[in-house]
Amino acid sequence: MDRDADADGGANGVEPGDGSDGSPAKGVDRRTVLGALAGAGSAAAAGCSGSKPSDASTTGLGPDRLDELAARFAPTLYFDTAEPWYPTDPRPYATEEDGETVVDGFAAFDGYHERYDEAGEPPDPTVFYNGMRYEDSPLAVVQFWLYSAFDQFTANFHWHDWEVLHVFVDLDTGEPQLYVASSHSRSVPNNEFLDPDPEVVPRILPELGSHSSTLSVNEAADSFQRVGEAGLLADITNTTIDTVEDLLGIPIAYGLPRDEGARLPFVVPEYEGEPIYEHPDLPSVSEESLVDGALAIRSLNALRSPPTDLPLRETGIAFRHAERPADGEDAALADEVAESVVEYELVESAELEDIAAFTGPQLSFEFAVPQAVEDAVASHITTTGVPWEQPRYENPALDVTAGNHRSEMAARYDAIADDPSFADDAAGALDAVVARVTTATETDEAPDGEGLTTTESTVESVALIESDPEAVPTFAGGVAVANGVPEGDHRFTVNAAGQAPHSERLTVSADESVTTAGVEGEVPLVARESARKVELSDEDSDVDLTRTAVEDDFAGRIYDSAIDGSDAVYVHGGGAYTTEVRDADDEVGAYRVNPDPSASGDGGSDDSDADGGDPIRIERPETGAAPLAGYVADVAEETRAAVAAAAAESDDGDDDAGGGSGGGGNGGDGGPSNAVNGLERALAAAVDAAERAEERAREGDAEGTERQLANVLDRIARIEERLAAAREGLPPGLANATGKRVEQATRRVEQAQNSEKL
């Protein structure tokens, strides 16, 4: 789903990473990110300009000036060592169909590999160029178009691939003004650099398989630097005041996944249910023709946990313009860092404009969706569009996707409209959905198997808005930006290799420029091997459920979604949860869910987990004071039993040690031990009071319910007093958990007191 394809209705690849040592995104503080996302808002981030930018018209550059600029700025490209598809000439694969010249996907894919195998080197290395000048302005643009025979990515692949580098040049001074390198989609900003050094040859780092183009302008010729550090320039200058990227603390641009440290598995393309290399019309294509198997999986569901051993990016072949001086600095750099150097021909794209279409049958992929009745959302991938029929071919400014760059270019040149939209396709859009995808893991602060924390992911994800068949990749350690989402209700789904899917319903409003998915912009994913499915439905209930949420004792709220009567969510088997439901009258109910970690599955099956554990079902959910009081009784009893078990274990330790003071025992004076026993009695009293409150509510006794709920609050206050005295005699995790559960129980009692429904 590269931008070049999207601009014409096609689709392309997905996924990214961060931190060259395998760590998450550099310099990004998770809490800062989430807090910022919660209040994010700007027209630029959402693409809310309302109409296309009113840029000046363009005309073609004169041939001499065009050839001069093309030769001067012809980029050097540094490819991943595992790259199968290099820039080539599509014309050898063109045929005539119904009086039109077309390039068939099967013919190009198979023919490319046949030529590659015969020659032992990339066939017909070619870069195409086009030039446009804005009328009544010194501003011109030379475009470099790169064609590849195929695109393979994580959940998105297609026949043919076109990428582009735009070089904006001032014809009066000869100085380059802006580089714009095509990225993954209209939702993800391009990789852009303002005011590049005119003496340095542009460098492109194509992403493995998908060929999304990243710039390299600093001294590290074959690596990507998202932010400037260690004496190196940043390779992009994307930033826009008051938009999401400033709030994140990093520039929003796709970047280069495996060069930034996040793992990125590639999916094997299939056609009609079989691996594409088994198709009889592709005799020259084998499994070895695709992205290296060490980086590939058959599907996102193929792994039980996120991959940790996938190789990161390494430079292989470099492509450089054949007519560039062999003794120049650029040639020396390429020889130094690349395994080998291939010289390409520079050909004007006008020679291709008789090609009417790049064709090929539709490929498909599926996203898993953790619903109770629907478990997959199918999407499709078509072939790429024809560049010379795209609006940006004549008006390259439509590809300027960073608002600060468009504003700066507009300040310099009257030909460019001061419109901070992401791009042409986003200009009429209503809104953007943003989120930060993280990973849920067990925390050391909780009892074993009863509490979570969330950390930055080292594997990038794929996000899908159900109403839009184009998936978008996350970048910079899990940032998802789905731009141009229409006003209304949507399902937002996230998949990642080795992790159970996340899916939620959300509403995009025209009044809000940015809609945050997840909880305050965070979407925690769970490794499939640790996932448990929680289901609920109001089908057999007396309430009309409209919303559900899940809170872990330690990680807090990790899921919050509108629902239509039923829902399902995958949770980590090592957490302890409160599941909240709301009905059409905004009445609340709550249920305790504390799964057995040993029963966790793979998060991928429909009605059961892979290891045989059935889904955790909340039967006949209710709202009002009765279920809330029942929840408080359940969580208080769960905690009481844990405290009693800890006390018994401590007593056994004291007996074995002859009455010694280790292990939280009484140390001979009964102090901590008595305090723990007192805590257990206070918890038991709270259980009794909460059960009586539930009974009164179910009997319809409003006054009795109110009295008993007040009694529960008194008992909880006593628990807090006893906990303070008993902490020394409790395991630290249990003490922490008791405090967290007391806070949760207090909130639920207050909800019960405020409820208009018994």
Side-chain angles (χ1 to χ4, degrees), residues 13 123 252 303 521 583 638 682:
I252 284 190
L303 303 177
D583 63 22
E638 176 187 324

Side-chain angles (χ1 to χ4, degrees), residues 725-750:
R727 278 189 177 275
E728 184 180 343
L730 289 174
L734 179 55
N736 294 337
T738 302
K740 301 283 188 183
R741 295 168 188 173
V742 165
E743 294 175 5
Q744 182 75 246
T746 301
R747 180 152 60 95
R748 301 305 172 181
V749 173
E750 291 171 350

Side-chain angles (χ1 to χ4, degrees), residues 273-290:
E274 299 294 335
I276 199 166
Y277 51 79
E278 294 183 359
H279 197 282
D281 290 344
L282 296 172
S284 300
V285 176
S286 67
E287 186 173 0
E288 288 69 32
S289 302
L290 306 183

Side-chain angles (χ1 to χ4, degrees), residues 485-662:
V485 180
E487 179 182 7
D489 296 331
H490 300 272
R491 178 169 287 280
F492 176 79
T493 300
V494 180
N495 280 193
Q499 294 178 302
H502 166 95
S503 191
E504 64 179 88
R505 293 186 182 275
L506 50 78
T507 300
V508 172
S509 170
D511 297 330
E512 298 292 336
S513 58
V514 173
T515 300
T516 55
V519 179
E520 296 183 349
E522 181 178 14
V523 174
L525 297 185
V526 181
R528 299 173 69 86
E529 64 185 3
S530 303
R532 292 297 307 276
K533 189 177 185 181
V534 178
E535 293 182 352
L536 58 87
S537 173
D538 64 8
E539 183 177 357
D540 297 322
S541 179
D542 296 328
V543 297
D544 179 14
L545 295 184
T546 60
R547 194 163 198 90
T548 186
V550 177
E551 296 183 12
D552 175 73
D553 287 352
F554 284 78
R557 187 161 291 210
I558 58 174
Y559 179 78
D560 194 342
S561 175
I563 66 172
D564 185 16
S566 63
D567 198 18
V569 57
Y570 286 106
V571 299
H572 194 293
Y577 306 98
T578 300
T579 299
E580 177 186 280
V581 296
R582 288 182 182 267
D583 63 22
D585 297 321
D586 205 31
E587 292 286 351
V588 181
Y591 295 87
R592 185 63 172 168
V593 174
N594 195 342
D596 178 1
S598 66
S600 297
D602 79 342
S605 55
D606 183 4
D607 294 320
S608 64
D609 293 306
D611 290 343
D614 291 332
I616 300 168
R617 291 190 173 93
I618 297 174
E619 306 288 354
R620 296 179 59 84
E622 301 174 286
T623 56
L628 288 167
Y631 163 82
V632 173
D634 289 344
V635 76
E637 173 56 28
E638 176 187 324
T639 308
R640 183 209 64 77
V643 169
E649 184 176 344
S650 177
D651 289 342
D652 289 343
D654 291 344
D655 292 342
D656 294 341
S661 60

